[in-house]
Amino acid sequence: MYYELIVQTEKREQFINITAGLNGLLGDSGTEEGTCTVFVSHTTTGVTVNEDADPAVMDDLLRFLKRMVPLQGGYSHREGNSDAHIKASLIGSSLHLIVRKGILDLGTWQGIFLGEFDGPRTRTVKLWID
Ligand code: ZN
């Protein structure tokens, strides 16, 4: 079963918690147990699992990425957003997750985050449920 979650980002760079949105689609599907693939089909966006309790964790991750991959870095890509492409590859574009009891089987402190690195834009998160 295929679903899409549309996410409107608001900043050039930010992490957005999409856990509830994905669990909502799982609820729509009626899936109780299985696996799912979460995929972002964009070259300047990523998706990752991390802490959903203290927002400072994702702030720290974004700050670290900005320090590691600066906006201006002597890149060749003429569009001027090479930093965003590099950040997207570092974070990755897909996740394979377990579904149990109708929702994502995450750890107590885990959430799923879309990483926007060249926003604001409208992004599509693709969800395939097995
Ligand atoms: Zn580009």
Side-chain angles (χ1 to χ4, degrees):
M1 282 172 284
Y2 175 78
Y3 293 86
E4 290 182 349
L5 181 67
I6 305 301
V7 179
Q8 179 62 53
T9 65
E10 294 164 352
K11 300 177 182 174
R12 181 171 192 272
E13 296 175 286
Q14 67 183 134
F15 281 105
I16 295 180
N17 192 329
I18 57 171
T19 314
L22 293 172
N23 279 332
L25 294 177
L26 287 169
D28 293 346
S29 78
T31 305
E32 281 297 309
E33 292 192 342
T35 59
C36 68
T37 301
V38 178
F39 177 65
V40 285
S41 54
H42 304 287
T43 59
T44 55
T45 303
V47 65
T48 191
V49 181
N50 216 306
E51 180 165 327
D52 189 7
D54 179 2
V57 171
M58 298 313 288
D59 291 345
D60 285 343
L61 178 56
L62 188 56
R63 201 172 307 118
F64 176 79
L65 286 169
K66 287 181 183 179
R67 200 162 59 231
M68 190 166 61
V69 190
L71 179 60
Q72 303 298 333
Y75 309 113
S76 298
H77 178 44
R78 290 186 182 171
E79 195 186 4
N81 63 351
S82 273
D83 68 307
H85 291 291
I86 294 166
K87 288 165 188 154
S89 276
L90 289 173
I91 292 298
S93 58
S94 71
L95 299 170
H96 196 221
L97 301 164
I98 295 168
V99 180
R100 282 180 64 213
K101 298 178 182 172
I103 60 170
L104 295 170
D105 185 23
L106 300 172
T108 305
W109 309 110
Q110 288 180 319
I112 313 297
F113 296 87
L114 176 138
E116 171 63 82
F117 304 116
D118 195 24
R121 297 189 197 211
T122 303
R123 301 300 198 172
T124 303
V125 180
K126 300 180 176 182
L127 177 66
W128 179 263
I129 305 167
D130 293 302

